[in-house]
Amino acid sequence: MAAVRFVRAGLIAASSCALAACATVPSTDDRLPPDPVAAELAVPDGGDVELRYRLAEPTSALHFADRTGDYRETAWHPLDPTFRWVAEGDGERLERADGRAFDSVALTVTPRYRSLVKAYGPFSPFSDGSLLVYSGQFHACADLPCDGDEPLPLTIDAPGRGIATPGERSHDHARFVSEGSGSNVFVGNLAPVAADGFNAIVDPGLPEAMRARLATGLPDAMRRLADAYGPLSTAPELYVSIDRRAQPDGNVSIQGGTLPNQIFMHFDGEGIDQKLAGPTDWIDWFFAHEAGHLYQQELAGSLLGDDRIAWIHEGGADALAALVFTAEGRDAYVRQRTTEARDACRQGLEQRPLTQAAASGAFDMHYACGMILALALDRELRAQGSDLHAFDRRLFGSVKAGASWTADHWFATARELGASGAFVAQARALVGADSTAALAALAQLAPQNSTSER
Ligand SMILES: [Zn+2]
């Protein structure tokens, strides 16, 4: 997914002191202005979720940065029918039809998975009734401009159930501040299993073959990447869920992604088991790709969310997956993926340059062209005694130290590590605004038959 950003979710520590002792300690909250927008989620054990926004000041509209198709309009139902959804640029707003100001609005939402373009769905149900809630979908603003990453204090009530917010587990009730691109919150009574450096909550209803893959694929990828970069500073959380209930539109979906210190995957829809019954190399590839993002985030310690240059982190993560697979001797699958990526990149470039991919609904070109470029860089650097891992350490490390996150910085870093001027010219052409030049560069950079040149 594109929304790979590294922002530590803030925690509001639950008070652990006795009431009498607390009374003498002034609350930090009392000294701060109230948050412009806060949200509350009531998550019953079955049935619809109630979502309520509270505003510090009365306002005429609640703004959402991204519209995500008609999702909210069709699935988030205001309790008060006076409220309506209105499209607003790339986003949308919730307002009263009579134009009057409001300081609170409540909605009911059925907590089903919904496949959204370039956004994580807000709910991933587990087969036992547990629920993974993606907080980023709830970010909202009282005023414009609204970027979607404004901090949102979020209260979750789930009587009788456990709630896991980033870094904290509680029961019945939890509160945290969702920041940046948001975090996953687990609601349910499945216990996390610590294994191979992960805290994993895996749906007990997953097919056995899938459970077996999970037990090896992700830890294997993490070990390979740890060989190159060292261990992650924090054990990541892994969430895997499956919901076999039929979707109204018959959709069968697989969603996976990474958020700060979290990897997650959801399988959804009637017939999902048939989809999972075939070869499973792609699942290991998915986990290696997502593990790659965790390392990118660890190294960069900052936002990696610019869609216009997503070839850097999406293509880079696919290239890391390729290196993991190569290290495991799985060359045939790497060749298959590389051929697919080369063809997809070429077909995309025949329609538009990469600079227009995200805006024209061809975001996948960033994966395909980016992977070809990153693997070409790896070959180029290996000829100089270096490799993609050294490049990633330099690139992401410099971003952490304050360098700007740009294509030019990528090219400059490649030169610093010994890539030739000719190579960097081809790289510039591949990701540049001239499709013809990009196709010519692709022909130079993409291996034609074999990727096992190393
Ligand atoms: Zn990705």
Side-chain angles (χ1 to χ4, degrees):
M1 293 292 294
V4 178
R5 296 172 166 185
F6 183 79
V7 180
R8 193 172 53 84
L11 290 173
I12 295 179
S15 171
S16 59
C17 50
L19 275 178
C22 285
T24 60
V25 181
S27 161
T28 309
D29 285 351
D30 293 344
R31 297 194 297 263
L32 295 171
D35 295 291
V37 183
E40 303 161 7
L41 265 183
V43 186
D45 197 353
D48 286 351
V49 166
E50 186 174 315
L51 167 65
R52 180 177 292 277
Y53 286 97
R54 294 188 190 282
L55 297 124
E57 306 278 346
T59 180
S60 59
L62 186 63
H63 306 274
F64 295 78
D66 297 312
R67 183 143 184 267
T68 59
D70 65 355
Y71 168 62
R72 291 194 191 94
E73 189 181 345
T74 55
W76 293 23
H77 303 292
L79 285 179
D80 177 346
T82 318
F83 282 89
R84 64 182 183 189
W85 290 99
V86 179
E88 183 176 67
D90 291 338
E92 58 193 335
R93 66 176 183 264
L94 190 57
E95 65 179 17
R96 287 179 61 103
D98 59 17
R100 285 170 51 198
F102 58 94
D103 62 7
S104 170
V105 55
L107 308 102
T108 58
V109 189
T110 303
R112 290 294 303 270
Y113 175 74
R114 180 77 78 93
S115 177
L116 304 174
V117 178
K118 285 205 307 178
Y120 298 135
F123 302 107
S124 298
F126 285 64
S127 62
D128 78 327
S130 300
L131 192 63
L132 196 65
V133 180
Y134 169 50
S135 69
Q137 272 289 340
F138 302 104
H139 286 202
C141 310
D143 297 297
L144 293 173
C146 186
D147 293 330
D149 54 6
E150 292 81 2
L152 178 74
L154 184 62
T155 303
I156 299 128
D157 282 298
R161 298 209 279 175
I163 304 169
T165 55
E168 182 127 339
R169 294 183 186 278
S170 50
H171 227 263
D172 303 325
H173 179 86
R175 185 168 189 269
F176 84 113
V177 178
S178 178
E179 292 183 331
S181 47
S183 300
N184 280 309
V185 176
F186 177 77
V187 178
N189 290 327
L190 295 172
V193 176
D196 279 313
F198 289 88
N199 294 309
I201 292 188
V202 175
D203 197 310
L206 270 189
E208 197 48 48
M210 179 68 65
R211 295 182 69 83
R213 285 250 63 85
L214 284 171
T216 58
L218 183 56
D220 285 353
M222 294 300 301
R223 268 194 294 274
R224 297 284 179 189
L225 293 174
D227 287 346
Y229 300 107
L232 291 172
S233 56
T234 314
E237 298 171 354
L238 169 67
Y239 293 104
V240 186
S241 49
I242 187 166
D243 184 357
R244 294 183 173 86
R245 292 175 294 171
Q247 286 283 359
D249 56 5
N251 257 358
V252 177
S253 315
I254 298 170
Q255 172 187 265
T258 320
L259 287 164
N261 206 40
Q262 297 179 326
I263 296 184
F264 51 97
M265 198 167 203
H266 178 68
F267 305 103
D268 197 273
E270 195 175 29
I272 185 68
D273 287 291
Q274 288 92 298
K275 214 167 184 173
L276 301 181
T280 51
D281 281 328
W282 65 270
I283 294 170
D284 291 346
W285 185 278
F286 164 82
F287 280 119
H289 174 103
E290 301 301 335
H293 282 321
L294 287 182
Y295 272 96
Q296 292 171 342
Q297 293 167 20
E298 173 96 4
L299 295 168
S302 63
L303 298 178
L304 297 179
D306 189 338
D307 280 357
R308 293 165 303 174
I309 51 171
W311 54 270
I312 297 180
H313 57 276
E314 293 301 357
D318 261 352
L320 289 179
L323 296 187
V324 165
F325 270 58
T326 299
E328 293 173 348
R330 300 162 81 175
D331 292 325
Y333 191 67
V334 175
R335 273 196 296 278
Q336 176 191 327
R337 293 293 294 239
T338 309
T339 301
E340 289 168 0
R342 183 194 66 204
D343 293 348
C345 179
R346 185 175 56 227
Q347 286 159 19
L349 290 174
E350 285 166 355
Q351 304 297 318
R352 67 191 75 71
L354 190 61
T355 49
Q356 290 171 23
S360 61
F363 188 74
D364 283 358
M365 285 175 66
H366 283 283
Y367 292 75
C369 302
M371 171 177 154
I372 295 298
L373 180 54
L375 287 178
L377 175 66
D378 186 57
R379 285 194 305 277
E380 172 82 5
L381 295 180
R382 278 173 201 256
Q384 311 291 327
S386 184
D387 62 8
L388 185 65
H389 297 311
F391 175 83
D392 280 351
R393 276 192 293 271
R394 175 81 64 97
L395 178 77
F396 295 113
S398 64
V399 168
K400 190 174 195 172
S404 57
W405 180 241
T406 61
D408 278 339
H409 186 54
W410 193 98
F411 304 135
T413 305
R415 284 290 278 153
E416 282 169 29
L417 283 178
S420 69
F423 174 88
V424 170
Q426 287 169 351
R428 278 187 187 277
L430 181 68
V431 302
D434 179 342
S435 277
T436 307
L439 282 164
L442 177 67
Q444 296 295 315
L445 293 169
Q448 294 306 305
N449 297 308
S450 168
T451 60
S452 52
E453 298 170 13
R454 292 191 298 277

